[in-house]
Amino acid sequence: MIEVVDTVTLTLDGRQITVEKGKTVLQAALEHGVSLPYYCYHPGIGIDGSCRVCIVKIEKMPKLQTSCSTVCTDGMVVDTQSPDVHAARAGVFEFLLINHPLDCPVCDKGGECPLQDFSYTFGPDNSRMEFPRRVFDGEGVKADVDFGPTLMLNRNRCIMCTRCVRFMGLVDGDAQIGVINRGNGSEIGTFNDEGVHSLMSGNLVDVCPVGAITTRDYRFKSRPWDNPSVTDTICTQCSKGCNTTAWLKAKPEWAKGSSLIRFTPRFNADVNQYWMCDIGRFNYRWVEGDDRLRAPLVRDAQGTQQRASWADLMPKLRDRLAQAGQSSPDGVKFLVSAHASNEELFLFRRLTEELLGPSGPSTITVSWRVTPKQQPPRTTFKVPAVDAPNVNGARAFGLVTGAVGDPQGPSNVGALQAAVAAGSVTALFVFDPGPDGTLGDSQWLLDARAAGQLPLLIVQGVLMTSLAKAADFVLPGASFVEKDASYTNDQGWLQATSRALATPGDAREDWQILVDLASGLGVQLGYTSAATVRGDIAARMGGAVGLVGIEGLAFASTMSARTWLQASNPSERWKWDFMYQDLPPVKGAVEPSSLPPPPGLIPLKEVK
Amino acid sequence: MSFHPKMAYDATFHKSSRTLADPGPPFTFTPERRARLDEVLTRYPPDRKRSAVLPALYLAQQQHGYITGNAMRHIAEILEITPADVEDVVSYYTMFYTKPVGRFVLNVCRTLSCALNGAERVTEELCAKLHIKPGETDTSGTFTLVEVECLGACDRAPVVMVNDAWHECVSPESVGHMLDSLRTRGESALTGCHLAVEKR
C-alpha cells in the first residue's frame, strides 16, 4: 500500500521544495540542505522559540519569523539569505555572546560546539559589548557547580536555551531543572541545588548546545579532535538495545588509559529516539579495565590458576570434557548468559546437537539478571529491567520458553540448580560475556563448587568474576565492542554491535573459541568467520522471528569522526560540517583558487 | 582572566542573587487556606493543577510571611509538579519573598516616569531614614525597601507601593511623614487613587 502523505510546496531561497504537511520551515530547510542555526529547537524535545537565531524572512509577513515555530504552508516564499536576515541573525548572535565567556580553548565542548560553529558562520566578527560580563565566578561564588552525581554545570557558559529544562520535563518526566531568577540574572538550577538525579542525566550533555553541562566522566579527558574514530554500535546492557556510537581516543601505543572514551546515543526512531540511559553511557570501563581477562587460565595440580596458551589449553580442556562426557553423557551442562549474541547461541546449539543428538540443546540453560530501574512514572524513555540484550535471541533458538516479543521475566535456572545440587552435573560450561553480575545470581554455583558438587567448571567470558576465579579453565572472550555480533532486542528488532576495538591480549572472539572447542571434541563445524555462522543461521532457520535478515546484517566499520558526524542524525547533520577542519573559516579570506595565476605560469587544464 | 583587550573581565562580579531557599519550619496549609486552594483548583482541569501555582504561593506567603523551601515542596506536592517548577515561579516574580520581610514592604518604582520625577532621591531618603539599603529590612522589622519596575501609576509619579496599595506623588520631603503615619495608622495612611476607585 502506498501511504499518501499530505504535502505542501513552498519556495525556499528561490527553490521550489515539497515537504510533508506540518513540518516547520526550519525542518524543511535542514532537510533540503539549507544552513540555518538553531539552539532552543531540538528534534527530540520540540519547539520553544526562545533563542531567535533561526529567523528567516517570509514574504507577506510583516517581521522576520522564527523558522522553528513557523509551519510551512502552500505558496510560502522563504528567504534565508537576504541582507536583513543576515544582519538580524548577526545581531542575535551578538546578544548571545555578550555574557558567554571566550574560553573555548579550555571548554569541553570546544570543537563540537554549536555555539562556536554558528557564531563563526553567522555571527558578527566583533562585539560592541563594553560592560563587564555577567560572571558567576567571584568571592564565595563559583560558576562551575555540581549538577548531580554525573554532571557539572558551568553557569557562565549557559545561553538559556532551556533545552535541559524541557528535556527533564518532557523526556525524563521529572522536571528537576528550572530557570531561577529572571532577565540578566537568570540561571539554570535545580531546587535547593540538589542536582539532577536521573537515569537519563547524560542526555543533558547531548542536548546542551554549549559547554554549560558536561559529564564528570568525559570532562577534561579528551577533546573532539583527539577522538578521530567512531564506530556505530548498539548498547548491550539491557534488553532495549539503544543505538549508540563508541568514540575512540587516538593515543600512542605506550600511552596509558583506555581508548574507549565515551558512548553517545544515535538516532533510531523505533528503539531509542535520540537518547540513551546513564547505565549504557557510563558503564563501559570494564571493557578495558584491570579485571579484564587477557589470557587463558588453567588450574594446575596445586589448585592455582596458571596462564596458558590456547595451544596448551585446548588438549587439556578436550580431555577433561571428553572424560566427563564419557562418564555420564547427561552430566555436561551449559549455562549461557543472555549477553551471548545470536551467533554464539547458535554455536552452542549446534555443538550440543552434534555431541548429544537432537536433545542436546536441552542441556543449555540461559540466564540473565533482572533489576527494575527507578524512573519517574511520566517518563517517555523506559529502561527495561532485563539486564541482557538477547533474551529474544535465545527464544528464537528455542533455548528459552516464550515467543519473541513476549514480556521478559526473570530467568529460570531452577532445573540446572536442582541437577547441580543432586550432584549429577559432571561438567559445567559457563559463558558470560557481559559485565560482572549480569549472568544473574551465581552464588549457588560458587557454593556448589566449594561443596565439591561441580568436578569441572569452565568459564568463557570477559571479566575475572568470582565465577571465573573458581573455574578450572578460563577462556578469555570478546566484549560487545570487540566483535561483530547480532542481538534481538525486546521489541524483536535484529540489531548489530560492531567491532571497534581489538580483543585484549590473547583473548579471542567467542565464535572462534567455540569452533575450536568443537573441533577439539571432534566436531567440524566448518565456520571460518562470524559471517559464515550468520549465513548458516539464515540457511537453517532464516525464517525464524527475530532472526530474519541476519545474513545481510550490515556492520559499521570504524570511521573518521567527521564522516560520522555528517552522516548521522539528519536534522543535526549540517551543523557538524565545520568540525574537524584544521582551521576555522576565516572571514574575508580569499580562496587561493579564485586568485589569478602568477604571470608566466601556464594554468593546468582539466583533461577530459 | 580576560581574552579581550578592552574588557575588564573580572573587574566586577555578578554575584548570583540566588539564595538557596531557607527550608524553614515544616509547612502545611492551615485548613482554611487549604480549603481556599482546593476551591481555586476546581477552576482548572484536573490535569492542569499547575495553573494554580500563583494563588497557592500567595496563600503560602500570607500564612508564613515569606515562602520557604518547605512551602515550595508542599505546594509542589499539592499541584503535582516538582519543587523546581515552583522555585522557578517564586524566583521569577518580585512579589514573592524568599526571606522574611517587614510589616510594610515599600516598593519604590524606578521606571521612567518615576525616575524622571525623582524616585532615586525618594529611595535615598528612605535608605537614610531607615538606615537600610534597597532589599533590606530595618532593625525593627517594620519596613522592607525594594526597588521595582513600573507599577502602572505613571501619572502620579513617583509612586511607592506599600504591600498591595499605592502611595502617590511621593517626594523626598514627604517620605518622613509617610513612614510616621504608616507606623501609627497602618495602611489606612496611604493616599493611592485605588481608594477613590473603590469608594465609588
Side-chain angles (χ1 to χ4, degrees):
Chain A
M1 196 183 87
I2 298 166
E3 209 177 319
V4 183
V5 183
D6 263 353
T7 58
V8 292
T9 303
L10 64 152
T11 312
L12 179 68
D13 289 346
R15 261 197 303 161
Q16 286 271 319
I17 61 166
T18 303
V19 296
E20 208 177 303
K21 201 173 185 175
K23 291 250 162 156
T24 63
V25 175
L26 178 65
Q27 286 166 334
L30 294 173
E31 273 172 25
H32 288 83
V34 174
S35 306
L36 279 180
Y38 58 94
Y39 293 121
C40 65
Y41 167 75
H42 183 285
I45 45 181
I47 296 157
D48 193 48
S50 63
C51 74
R52 319 306 289 182
V53 292
C54 65
I55 44 177
V56 294
K57 189 175 184 175
I58 300 176
E59 259 183 29
K60 295 178 186 154
M61 287 200 178
K63 291 188 215 168
L64 299 180
Q65 300 292 314
T66 48
S67 61
C68 69
S69 59
T70 311
V71 177
C72 293
T73 53
D74 257 325
M76 196 180 243
V77 182
V78 182
D79 190 353
T80 70
Q81 301 298 335
S82 74
D84 47 347
V85 172
H86 277 285
R89 212 147 53 187
V92 176
F93 273 99
E94 202 175 346
F95 274 124
L96 283 179
L97 291 176
I98 57 172
N99 285 325
H100 190 86
L102 300 176
D103 63 352
C104 305
V106 296
C107 173
D108 261 307
K109 201 86 168 186
E112 52 182 353
C113 172
L115 188 68
Q116 224 178 18
D117 300 341
F118 290 148
S119 298
Y120 269 126
T121 320
F122 302 104
D125 49 8
N126 61 5
S127 172
R128 291 169 289 177
M129 175 75 174
E130 290 172 354
F131 302 97
R133 293 180 177 215
R134 184 202 58 183
V135 179
F136 288 95
D137 286 306
E139 288 162 58
V141 196
K142 266 171 72 185
D144 243 358
V145 291
D146 285 2
F147 206 45
T150 55
L151 305 175
M152 292 292 281
L153 170 71
N154 186 317
R155 294 174 295 173
N156 284 349
R157 294 183 188 144
C158 177
I159 57 168
M160 298 315 261
C161 67
T162 69
R163 273 186 186 184
C164 53
V165 177
R166 286 174 289 136
F167 173 83
M168 290 306 284
L170 294 172
V171 181
D172 181 75
D174 184 15
Q176 295 173 22
I177 307 181
V179 181
I180 309 296
N181 295 332
R182 63 174 177 179
N184 193 42
S186 310
E187 59 185 275
I188 288 295
T190 47
F191 179 68
N192 218 9
D193 268 359
E194 284 165 353
V196 179
H197 296 262
S198 160
L199 205 50
M200 301 289 288
S201 66
N203 295 300
L204 293 170
V205 182
D206 297 334
V207 299
C208 183
V210 295
I213 301 179
T214 48
T215 59
R216 285 163 192 260
D217 178 61
Y218 182 65
R219 186 178 162 85
F220 305 144
K221 226 165 70 173
S222 183
R223 311 305 305 270
W225 51 87
D226 294 332
N227 311 332
S229 6
V230 293
T231 310
D232 286 351
T233 182
I234 63 163
C235 178
T236 60
Q237 308 224 19
C238 77
S239 55
K240 197 173 186 103
C242 291
N243 290 221
T244 62
T245 301
W247 292 71
L248 304 176
K249 187 177 165 88
K251 60 187 182 72
E253 246 170 55
W254 43 263
K256 288 184 178 171
S258 58
S259 47
L260 198 58
I261 203 79
R262 65 173 170 181
F263 277 94
T264 52
R266 193 157 50 91
F267 177 67
N268 185 328
D270 298 314
V271 179
N272 60 320
Q273 293 287 322
Y274 300 88
W275 322 116
M276 71 188 289
C277 77
D278 286 357
I279 300 170
R281 189 187 294 263
F282 298 129
N283 185 18
Y284 62 87
R285 299 200 173 189
W286 56 272
V287 171
E288 289 173 280
D290 293 342
D291 281 346
R292 193 61 203 277
L293 296 174
R294 293 182 165 82
L297 302 174
V298 182
R299 194 173 292 279
D300 62 11
Q302 283 75 45
T304 50
Q305 288 179 328
Q306 300 287 355
R307 278 183 74 137
S309 69
W310 287 102
D312 289 346
L313 175 134
M314 274 300 172
K316 286 182 194 165
L317 176 58
R318 180 195 58 207
D319 294 347
R320 291 286 302 273
L321 260 181
Q323 193 189 342
Q326 276 155 14
S327 64
S328 81
D330 294 338
V332 182
K333 301 280 183 196
F334 295 84
L335 177 63
V336 179
S337 162
H339 270 263
S341 68
N342 287 330
E343 292 82 345
E344 290 138 22
L345 289 170
F346 176 72
L347 283 173
F348 274 110
R349 214 183 113 114
R350 277 295 314 276
L351 182 63
T352 51
E353 272 173 354
E354 297 286 338
L355 289 173
L356 305 166
S359 68
S362 64
T363 58
I364 302 174
T365 307
V366 180
S367 168
W368 60 89
R369 183 179 65 183
V370 172
T371 40
K373 315 288 191 303
Q374 288 275 321
Q375 280 194 282
R378 269 179 295 198
T379 185
T380 57
F381 188 100
K382 277 264 178 231
V383 184
V386 173
D387 288 339
N390 209 18
V391 176
N392 270 343
R395 280 173 173 164
F397 288 109
L399 302 174
V400 172
T401 53
V404 172
D406 283 356
Q408 300 174 357
S411 60
N412 184 6
V413 293
L416 179 67
Q417 208 167 344
V420 170
S424 65
V425 176
T426 51
L428 183 68
F429 189 106
V430 178
F431 179 54
D432 179 19
D436 195 4
T438 50
L439 183 64
D441 176 32
S442 59
Q443 191 55 46
W444 60 274
L445 265 176
L446 295 171
D447 292 345
R449 176 83 176 153
Q453 287 163 329
L454 267 180
L456 176 59
L457 178 63
I458 303 151
V459 172
Q460 179 179 343
V462 291
L463 291 179
M464 200 63 194
T465 57
S466 45
L467 209 53
K469 281 183 189 138
D472 297 309
F473 292 91
V474 178
L475 316 177
S479 71
F480 71 105
V481 280
E482 291 155 3
K483 57 189 174 192
D484 286 350
S486 68
Y487 300 84
T488 308
N489 82 347
D490 55 3
Q491 297 163 288
W493 294 109
L494 183 69
Q495 303 191 104
T497 58
S498 308
R499 189 184 155 96
L501 299 169
T503 48
D506 288 345
R508 288 187 182 175
E509 289 197 25
D510 297 290
W511 71 267
Q512 181 78 60
I513 299 174
L514 292 172
V515 169
D516 288 354
L517 180 67
S519 104
L521 293 168
V523 179
Q524 296 306 327
L525 294 173
Y527 302 122
T528 52
S529 68
T532 55
V533 180
R534 282 188 288 277
D536 201 30
I537 295 177
R540 284 169 195 260
M541 46 197 316
V545 181
L547 298 173
V548 177
I550 192 168
E551 73 284 10
L553 217 50
F555 293 90
S557 51
T558 302
M559 60 173 128
S560 114
R562 182 174 182 197
T563 319
W564 176 85
L565 288 164
Q566 287 172 347
S568 59
N569 177 358
S571 55
E572 298 254 322
R573 177 192 302 156
W574 90 267
K575 79 176 186 190
W576 301 105
D577 287 359
F578 283 88
M579 277 185 69
Y580 300 101
Q581 288 187 356
D582 291 327
L583 292 167
V586 179
K587 281 188 198 296
V590 183
E591 276 282 310
S593 58
S594 69
L595 294 172
L601 197 77
I602 304 165
L604 290 173
K605 268 186 198 155
E606 201 184 333
V607 181
K608 296 237 165 115
Chain B
M1 79 186 150
S2 172
F3 294 101
H4 193 285
K6 285 190 209 156
M7 214 178 285
Y9 197 66
D10 48 3
T12 56
F13 296 117
H14 168 90
K15 267 204 177 185
S16 164
S17 54
R18 179 175 190 199
T19 41
L20 289 193
D22 161 23
F27 183 94
T28 38
F29 280 121
T30 57
E32 306 85 65
R33 292 209 169 83
R34 182 60 203 258
R36 169 100 185 101
L37 180 57
D38 287 340
E39 188 274 313
V40 171
L41 279 173
T42 59
R43 301 178 202 172
Y44 304 106
D47 58 332
R48 304 271 171 86
K49 285 189 182 171
R50 66 161 63 220
S51 307
V53 67
L54 287 180
L57 286 169
Y58 273 120
L59 287 170
Q61 187 156 296
Q62 262 177 30
Q63 181 171 325
H64 196 261
Y66 65 103
I67 294 170
T68 60
N70 280 333
M72 290 185 214
R73 278 185 205 278
H74 183 60
I75 290 170
E77 235 163 72
I78 296 173
L79 303 183
E80 291 163 21
I81 53 180
T82 58
D85 283 333
V86 180
E87 195 189 7
D88 199 325
V89 175
V90 171
S91 64
Y92 181 85
Y93 289 105
T94 52
M95 299 86 91
F96 294 127
Y97 314 119
T98 48
K99 285 178 284 189
V101 291
R103 201 173 125 221
F104 301 107
V105 182
L106 307 173
N107 300 283
V108 186
C109 174
R110 61 174 177 194
T111 312
L112 188 63
S113 312
C114 293
L116 288 174
N117 280 297
E120 277 173 37
R121 288 195 296 284
V122 171
T123 310
E124 279 164 19
E125 193 65 26
L126 282 170
C127 289
K129 285 233 153 44
L130 299 170
H131 308 291
I132 53 175
K133 281 188 279 209
E136 291 178 353
T137 305
D138 70 347
T139 43
S140 67
T142 318
F143 294 106
T144 300
L145 181 61
V146 188
E147 285 185 296
V148 296
E149 305 307 333
C150 188
L151 293 170
C154 303
D155 57 328
R156 314 190 120 224
V159 63
V160 178
M161 189 168 80
V162 182
N163 293 348
D164 297 330
W166 285 320
H167 196 77
E168 294 159 343
C169 303
V170 189
S171 63
E173 295 75 38
S174 72
V175 158
H177 178 67
M178 180 184 82
L179 292 179
D180 289 340
S181 48
L182 274 172
R183 276 197 192 101
T184 50
R185 289 163 52 210
E187 283 180 39
S188 61
L190 299 176
T191 64
C193 61
H194 60 281
L195 298 168
V197 174
E198 272 167 29
K199 260 180 227 155
R200 217 186 290 154

